[in-house]
Amino acid sequence: MTTRNEFPSGLVLDAHKQPVAAEPILDVAPPARLRFALDQGSGVVLEPAVAVGDVVAIGSVIARPSDDFGAVLHASASGRVIAIESHDATNDDGGPCIVVENDGRDTPDPALPRGPIDYTALDPATLVDRLREAGIAGLGGAGFPTATKLATARARSARRLLLNGAECEPWICCDDALMRAEADDVVLGGRVLMRALEAESCVIAIEDDKPAAIDALRAAAQSAADTITVEIVPAVYPQGAERQLVTAVFGVEVPARGLPADVGVTCQNVATAAAVARWARSGVPLVTRVVTVTGSGVSRPLNVRARFGTPLATLVEAAGGYRGEPLRLIAGGNMTGRALATDEVGLTKSINTLFVATHQDLAARLAAVEVACIRCGNCADVCPAGLLPQEIHRTALARDADGAVRFGVWDCIDCGCCDYVCPSQIPLALRFREAREWLRERDRAAARAAVARTRHERRERRLQEAVAAEQRAFDVARQQARGESAPTDPGTAT
């Protein structure tokens, strides 16, 4: 491991992925039973659009979001819904899932369009809506709905499209394999996205440690004969983080708590672009993705294409099964991945890697013993967001909300660079996630208190108005009893 300062900061890490990326992508046969999590990894729980006993086909809508922050979910096999129940999922507490029994027929939904989509005949706003209905979401790991991102970018006139092929985290190489094998689709998807954005240009950014993918993309972009270009960036972690890549390619900085659209850029993953191309070619919505299955705990690390809802155990079987003594099953890479409780979790749109780790892969972390911060400043030296992690940590431990916000806890990109270099073995990224959660809870509590205060104030006004109305009625009755003319009600005077 070496440190770079020109990024700014960041790390150069052992990749652990080139031999795997060079292997052909293996298509995994659909299992007998698929489990579709209603939280596909974006944090938004979808609402079922089917009931137990319903018959579904490939491309049938089985769940929809209640707002624009989730993506439509489609069945990836034909069969029958046999359960809607809670199961283990990528989040700690599990969540509701739709379980479909595969009938093995692969019947397509008759409502799907037949053949290619003439996207050039669609106006940009309609094209965005069609991509929304196709369930296209960010396949780089976030799972954020592509249509919402495009709509936000259009509203802010972000006319530069950036396709992210950096894939900087160790072990993850699904995008590398996809760019080698399906470069034409990446470019076609870029053209469709440009149409949806009314974009002026498109840059495909790729790290310099992927020569085969670079050659394939350059050839595809050249044959496209349009404004799509390929730009090479240094292989520095976390170069693939959206904000950092925008700075590296365009030389502009995304404002704190802002979006790339604020500086005129829309960033999409290359796998997302390829998914858009597959929809444009066939009319079939997003029902599969490429996943890296890797780590010392599998017999034959490789990249696979699998259908959503496929149990992760099936992916391990495709990679030759378990080897040695697997210690952790991690969705994602070793820097930002999340440990899973079981391999029965169904594949979601946000799982780009299944990292089956052994003691050999995690030895350094397992041996770590946290001690007090020695104020060495290593974390600040490598922070790609230019933050002072030691100060965020100090304020987070003290529950100093204002201080944590002032030092940029919301600007942390959760890359784990600070953890990696900390000689005191402090789990800084975890502490910052916890700090953001209690800040969110503080804000939620403040919002609840504001609602309660408003409710109380309204009640007090109602009571006061009722007392005043009773007093006016009493005054009127008294005057009438005395035979006097009733006083004018100031509340009804004009």
Side-chain angles (χ1 to χ4, degrees), residues 15 46 136 138 322 341 469:
L46 307 177
I136 307 294
Y322 290 109

Side-chain angles (χ1 to χ4, degrees), residues 16 171 295-297 323-328 334 355-366:
H16 299 290
W171 300 97
S296 300
R323 179 180 66 177
E325 298 181 6
L327 203 60
R328 295 277 195 283
N334 66 324
F355 179 33
V356 185
T358 64
H359 191 281
Q360 171 187 337
D361 301 322
L362 303 174
R365 294 195 175 189
L366 294 173

Side-chain angles (χ1 to χ4, degrees), residues 359-385:
H359 191 281
Q360 171 187 337
D361 301 322
L362 303 174
R365 294 195 175 189
L366 294 173
V369 177
E370 181 181 348
V371 296
C373 173
I374 61 173
R375 311 289 290 179
C376 65
N378 287 355
C379 55
D381 289 341
V382 301
C383 178

Side-chain angles (χ1 to χ4, degrees), residues 51-56 77-83 99-103:
V52 174
D54 285 355
V55 174
V56 296
S78 57
R80 187 179 299 275
V81 178
I82 61 171
V99 184
V100 173
E101 190 170 60
N102 184 3
D103 62 14

Side-chain angles (χ1 to χ4, degrees), residues 460-474:
E460 289 298 304
R461 283 198 298 270
R462 288 197 304 271
L463 292 176
Q464 292 171 5
E465 290 169 356
V467 170
E470 289 179 1
Q471 183 62 50
R472 288 194 298 270
F474 175 77

Side-chain angles (χ1 to χ4, degrees), residues 13-73:
L13 304 170
D14 294 334
H16 299 290
K17 54 187 175 181
Q18 290 303 339
V20 180
E23 293 292 321
I25 298 171
L26 175 68
D27 286 315
V28 175
R33 186 169 293 181
L34 299 102
R35 186 177 294 163
F36 300 90
L38 292 182
D39 178 357
Q40 285 285 297
S42 66
V44 174
V45 179
L46 307 177
E47 297 178 352
V50 293
V52 174
D54 285 355
V55 174
V56 296
I58 295 178
S60 298
V61 174
I62 59 174
R64 288 187 175 276
S66 58
D67 54 36
D68 289 338
F69 297 99
V72 178
L73 183 61

Side-chain angles (χ1 to χ4, degrees), residues 191-215:
R191 295 167 70 181
V192 178
L193 292 169
M194 286 181 70
R195 171 74 178 174
L197 283 168
E198 298 180 90
E200 300 164 353
S201 63
C202 173
V203 174
I204 305 174
I206 182 169
E207 287 189 320
D208 57 13
D209 62 347
K210 302 174 178 62
I214 291 170
D215 291 343

